[in-house]
């Protein structure tokens, strides 16, 4: 028996960054918001005494467990997808904060080129530059339109940064100065400058100093303790929804958080959403939460799964190219480059944060001429000092035995004498890569799992080969004694560890080619908004959070307009 609850203005389906931003902005505007979260509520006290590599890095304490539901994966349409059951291969945050609790906190913006990728590529290189089955499209919003909302996210999260000289124009500098440069970062910077590149300190949502954001939330100064990515921050120095947007929403008195609440359907009739159906994960009791506005704020896989399970929009068919929901799936993993080993240099690699590092964007987007290369877009060259944990970091030169006396000798020698320079690649969408409901596998409650179909393409291999050489060139200039180039596997192996997945409910300016408009409002359901990287028509070179945060801030203005007047916001 489903229990029907009193109607509210707004209901959200997850309490990570997107759910937190929506809740904060709409409650400040006076609307009643219920935030549903399938995991537990957390505070910074839950992170105390959390410097436990086995618990957090190995056993993934902050991640969704895969015993009741997961995704299935295959490389192509001719394969039978299999469930991903290895927690090391699929790391999706669970509990308040979501991915914003355990993220490394790199906070790059996307580039003007990204938002008008098809128009700008065709204008400069002609239509033949784009392969037939590559489904790139303009996003329906420009960088200049989104720029004020990038600022809003950066000020809320207290970003510590140094301006990328090759990025889009900024209306304001970062609210905090960049993180401190370590000797390895300085060595990378000098090598890049000697090569004629334009290095800068990676922008980070770990605060370089004590900071109070515009909503009055306090962030502490980062301690460079190294327990950052995969961990929550007990200092409150890493921007996390539980120390920023969720407290802001709670202070309004208009917000109700319900944890252990897993949304299973968007209720939908006569072209509009009426609310959501959710299950209490402790008791199994089902509830109907009616709402004037429904906002999907879960991870990419679950946003798309909820649309498909609820029968909203037309599922994508990769054979015919028709349909929208599930289209343009992109996975942003396999970040490769080269590792340098230094016989005459020693670094303090035990110090770090999840985003401490340097980067250069000379080979990002269209910052260089693509006329004579066999790919589009590009990659960011970067090095990071995360703080090497002893279990998960034990790099030795290629050819070293994997155990025994020689391995031990090399492991001890190079534990503080190795630096990796890697490239984050832009990932383009293809006709054959998509998300749908698996016909064979179901979750513990009988609903089909989401299925991902994805593999490397010649575009990926050609771009990767180009970027690996650039990474090795930087390490050579840095003075590395030995350089091992990373080898790209023949096929993508289903390793989704960085929690960077996009597409499936993509944005655009045409309902024939997109699921949502520039406000992330569904074309097929005017009171349903879908927030997150599921809206990205392709994956840019860098981490998605800053862009999905900016898009969500922009979307909340549309939500407020809708709640006041109704109707489609884009005609």
């Amino acid at each position: 028996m489903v229990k029907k609850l009193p109607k509210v203005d707004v209901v959200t389906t997850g309490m990570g960054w997107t759910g937190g931003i929506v809740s904060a902005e709409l409650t400040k505007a006076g609307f009643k918001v219920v935030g549903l979260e399938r995991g537990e509520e957390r505070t910074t006290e839950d992170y105390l005494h959390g410097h436990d590599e086995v618990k957090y890095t190995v056993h993934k304490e902050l991640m969704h467990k895969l015993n009741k539901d997961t995704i299935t994966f295959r490389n192509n349409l001719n394969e039978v997808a299999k469930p991903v059951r290895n927690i090391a291969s699929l790391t999706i945050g669970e509990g308040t904060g979501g991915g914003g609790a355990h993220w490394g906190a790199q906070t790059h913006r996307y580039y003007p080129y990204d938002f008008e990728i098809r128009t700008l590529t065709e204008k400069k290189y002609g239509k033949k530059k784009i392969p037939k089955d590559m489904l790139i499209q303009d996003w329906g919003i420009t960088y200049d339109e989104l720029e004020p909302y990038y600022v809003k996210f950066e000020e809320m999260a207290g970003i510590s940064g140094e301006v990328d000289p090759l990025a889009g124009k900024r209306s304001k500098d970062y609210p905090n100065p960049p993180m401190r440069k370590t000797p390895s970062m300085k060595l990378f910077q000098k090598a890049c400058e000697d090569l004629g590149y334009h290095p800068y300190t990676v922008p980070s949502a770990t605060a370089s100093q004590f900071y109070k954001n515009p909503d009055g939330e306090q962030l502490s100064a980062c301690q460079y303790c190294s327990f950052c990515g995969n961990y929550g921050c007990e200092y409150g120095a890493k921007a996390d929804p539980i120390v920023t947007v969720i407290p802001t929403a709670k202070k309004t008195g208009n917000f109700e958080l319900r944890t252990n609440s897993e949304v299973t359907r968007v209720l939908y009739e006569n072209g509009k959403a009426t609310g959501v159906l959710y299950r209490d994960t402790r008791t199994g009791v089902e509830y109907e939460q009616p709402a004037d506005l429904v906002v999907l704020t879960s991870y990419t896989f679950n946003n798309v799964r909820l649309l498909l399970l609820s029968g909203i929009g037309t599922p994508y068919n990769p054979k015919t190219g028709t349909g929208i929901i599930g289209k343009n799936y992109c996975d942003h993993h396999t970040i490769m480059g080269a590792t340098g080993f230094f016989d005459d240099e020693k670094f303090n690699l035990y110090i770090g944060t999840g985003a401490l590092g340097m980067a250069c964007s000379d080979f990002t987007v269209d910052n260089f001429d693509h006329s004579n290369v066999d790919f589009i877009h590009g990659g960011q060259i970067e090095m990071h000092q995360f703080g090497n944990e002893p279990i998960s970091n034990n790099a030795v030169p290629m050819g070293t035995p994997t155990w025994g006396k020689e391995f031990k000798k090399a492991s001890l020698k190079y534990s503080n004498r190795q630096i990796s320079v890697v490239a984050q690649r832009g990932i383009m969408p293809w006709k054959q890569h998509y998300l749908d409901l698996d016909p064979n596998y179901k979750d513990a409650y009988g609903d089909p799992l989401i299925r991902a179909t994805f593999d490397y393409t010649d575009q990926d291999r050609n771009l990767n080969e180009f970027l690996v050489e650039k990474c090795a060139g930087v390490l050579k200039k840095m003075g590395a004694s030995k350089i091992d180039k990373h080898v790209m596997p023949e096929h993508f192996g289903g390793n989704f560890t960085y929690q960077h997945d996009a597409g499936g409910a993509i944005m655009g300016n045409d309902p024939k080619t997109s699921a949502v408009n520039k406000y992330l409002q569904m074309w097929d359901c005017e009171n349903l908004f879908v927030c997150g990287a599921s809206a990205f028509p392709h994956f840019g070179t860098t981490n998605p959070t800053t862009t999905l945060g900016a898009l969500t801030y922009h979307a909340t203005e549309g939500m407020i307009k809708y709640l006041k007047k109704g109707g489609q916001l884009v005609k």
Side-chain angles (χ1 to χ4, degrees):
M1 182 73 177
V2 176
K3 293 186 177 182
K4 189 170 183 177
L5 302 171
K7 190 177 185 180
V8 295
D9 297 323
V10 184
V11 62
T12 70
T13 65
M15 287 308 299
W17 276 122
T18 56
I21 290 170
V22 169
S23 298
E25 294 304 295
L26 270 59
T27 55
K28 286 192 294 183
F31 297 102
K32 300 291 185 181
V33 178
V34 167
L36 301 175
E37 166 58 48
R38 69 181 176 183
E40 302 282 348
E41 183 173 11
R42 297 196 191 100
T43 70
T44 53
E45 291 184 1
D46 295 310
Y47 302 147
L48 292 173
H49 314 296
H51 293 185
D52 185 334
E53 187 181 0
V54 172
K55 184 176 182 179
Y56 291 97
T57 297
V58 178
H59 292 161
K60 310 295 184 184
E61 178 71 15
L62 298 182
M63 314 305 177
H64 175 64
K65 303 304 182 283
L66 307 180
N67 57 330
K68 290 185 178 180
D69 73 87
T70 180
I71 71 167
T72 67
F73 169 75
R74 61 182 181 173
N75 286 129
N76 60 65
L77 275 64
N78 296 320
E79 293 181 351
V80 175
K82 299 294 178 61
V84 179
R85 293 296 187 191
N86 183 353
I87 191 64
S89 297
L90 181 62
T91 53
I92 297 175
E94 183 170 282
T96 53
H102 69 80
W103 68 322
Q106 292 184 47
T107 48
H108 302 273
R109 296 181 176 191
Y110 279 9
Y111 293 77
Y113 173 81
D114 282 305
F115 299 99
E116 301 174 89
I117 185 169
R118 189 164 198 102
T119 294
L120 294 177
T121 301
E122 290 181 353
K123 182 178 179 180
K124 187 170 182 179
Y125 302 106
K127 293 183 178 182
K128 291 184 179 180
K129 185 68 175 177
I130 303 170
K132 177 184 175 183
D133 290 337
M134 182 186 285
L135 305 182
I136 57 171
Q137 65 183 53
D138 295 352
W139 288 35
I141 194 169
T142 66
Y143 174 87
D144 289 342
E145 287 180 276
L146 196 59
E147 200 278 336
Y149 304 94
Y150 272 127
V151 171
K152 194 164 187 177
F153 179 85
E154 290 164 353
E155 292 188 337
M156 174 276 293
I159 305 305
S160 306
E162 182 175 35
V163 174
D164 173 1
L166 300 181
K169 293 181 180 179
R170 303 179 60 95
S171 59
K172 295 182 73 173
D173 201 350
Y174 290 106
N176 285 314
M179 306 298 285
R180 297 181 183 180
K181 291 179 183 176
T182 64
S184 64
M185 291 167 65
K186 293 176 181 177
L187 190 62
F188 175 91
Q189 179 179 8
K190 185 177 186 306
C192 287
E193 289 173 345
D194 288 347
L195 289 167
Y197 304 159
H198 301 80
Y200 61 95
T201 307
V202 168
S204 168
T206 45
S208 59
Q209 60 186 6
F210 286 92
Y211 173 76
K212 182 175 286 188
N213 78 9
D215 291 316
E217 311 303 344
Q218 181 72 56
L219 292 172
S220 300
C222 179
Q223 304 296 302
Y224 299 85
C225 73
S226 299
F227 294 88
C228 197
N230 290 317
Y231 302 84
C233 181
E234 71 269 38
Y235 305 114
K238 181 169 68 172
D240 178 331
I242 72 167
V243 296
T244 53
V245 286
I246 294 176
T248 297
K250 287 181 174 181
K251 286 189 300 189
T252 66
N254 293 324
F255 177 67
E256 181 184 352
L257 172 65
R258 295 183 198 155
T259 54
N260 302 291
S261 300
E262 184 171 15
V263 178
T264 58
R265 293 292 189 282
V266 176
L267 301 175
Y268 177 71
E269 60 182 48
N270 299 322
K272 293 185 72 173
T274 60
V276 299
L277 186 69
Y278 74 93
R279 179 187 299 111
D280 187 311
T281 58
R282 298 160 298 186
T283 65
V285 175
E286 288 188 300
Y287 296 89
E288 178 183 342
Q289 179 57 69
D292 290 325
L293 185 70
V294 176
V295 189
L296 302 190
T297 55
S298 50
Y299 189 60
T300 292
F301 293 133
N302 202 45
N303 276 354
V304 177
R305 186 181 185 222
L306 281 172
L307 291 173
L308 292 170
L309 288 173
S310 305
I312 302 174
T314 305
Y316 175 67
N317 184 327
K319 294 180 180 179
T320 64
T322 58
I324 299 296
I325 308 303
K327 177 184 176 183
N328 282 44
Y329 170 64
C330 296
D331 182 272
H332 186 233
H333 300 112
T334 320
I335 297 170
M336 306 183 70
T339 299
F341 298 88
F342 294 76
D343 291 333
D344 302 318
E345 295 271 4
K346 195 171 184 179
F347 308 101
N348 53 346
L349 300 180
Y350 52 88
I351 293 170
T353 79
L356 185 64
M358 299 287 296
C360 65
S361 58
D362 295 76
F363 305 104
T364 299
V365 290
D366 197 35
N367 286 345
F368 64 103
D369 188 3
H370 286 62
S371 297
N372 297 315
V373 296
D374 46 7
F375 56 82
I376 69 165
H377 214 284
Q380 176 176 272
I381 307 298
E382 58 187 30
M383 64 79 53
H384 285 277
Q385 188 165 322
F386 299 125
N388 283 353
E389 297 171 288
I391 297 174
S392 51
N393 292 277
N394 207 345
V396 294
M398 289 182 182
T400 304
T402 55
W403 63 283
K405 181 178 179 180
E406 290 304 312
F407 170 76
K408 183 177 180 180
K409 180 180 178 181
S411 176
L412 291 172
K413 176 178 180 179
Y414 291 112
S415 63
N416 283 292
R417 297 177 183 272
Q418 48 87 16
I419 295 172
S420 290
V421 174
V422 298
Q424 294 197 64
R425 291 176 288 116
I427 306 297
M428 301 300 102
W430 295 83
K431 183 179 179 180
Q432 68 272 24
H433 295 164
Y434 71 113
L435 299 173
D436 69 342
L437 295 177
D438 194 288
N440 301 312
Y441 291 96
K442 296 177 170 58
D443 66 15
Y445 301 101
D447 282 331
L449 299 179
I450 196 77
R451 176 172 65 178
T453 303
F454 183 82
D455 203 358
Y456 300 131
T457 64
D458 288 342
Q459 152 83 17
D460 298 308
R461 298 182 186 94
N462 295 338
L463 176 54
N464 184 72
E465 183 179 355
F466 174 85
L467 293 170
V468 164
E469 293 302 320
K470 301 299 181 185
C471 294
V474 172
L475 282 166
K476 182 178 179 181
K477 182 63 72 171
M478 291 172 71
S481 306
K482 303 178 182 67
I483 298 172
D484 288 342
K485 298 175 185 177
H486 303 164
V487 179
M488 189 175 197
E490 183 178 355
H491 296 286
F492 177 71
N495 189 0
F496 303 89
T497 53
Y498 297 107
Q499 196 171 318
H500 296 176
D501 295 277
I506 61 174
M507 63 190 299
N509 56 18
D510 186 346
K512 294 179 181 178
T513 58
S514 58
V516 298
N517 62 29
K518 68 179 181 180
Y519 291 102
L520 309 185
Q521 179 189 33
M522 286 285 295
W523 294 108
D524 294 333
C525 183
E526 67 178 42
N527 67 331
L528 177 61
F529 289 68
V530 187
C531 298
S534 55
F536 293 11
H538 73 271
F539 215 112
T541 53
T542 52
N543 299 33
T545 305
T546 316
T547 297
L548 69 86
L551 286 169
T552 302
Y553 270 117
H554 180 256
T556 60
E557 291 190 356
M559 295 174 200
I560 292 169
K561 290 177 184 177
Y562 178 82
L563 286 164
K564 291 179 177 178
K565 295 183 178 180
Q568 279 289 343
L569 300 170
V570 178
K571 303 296 184 181

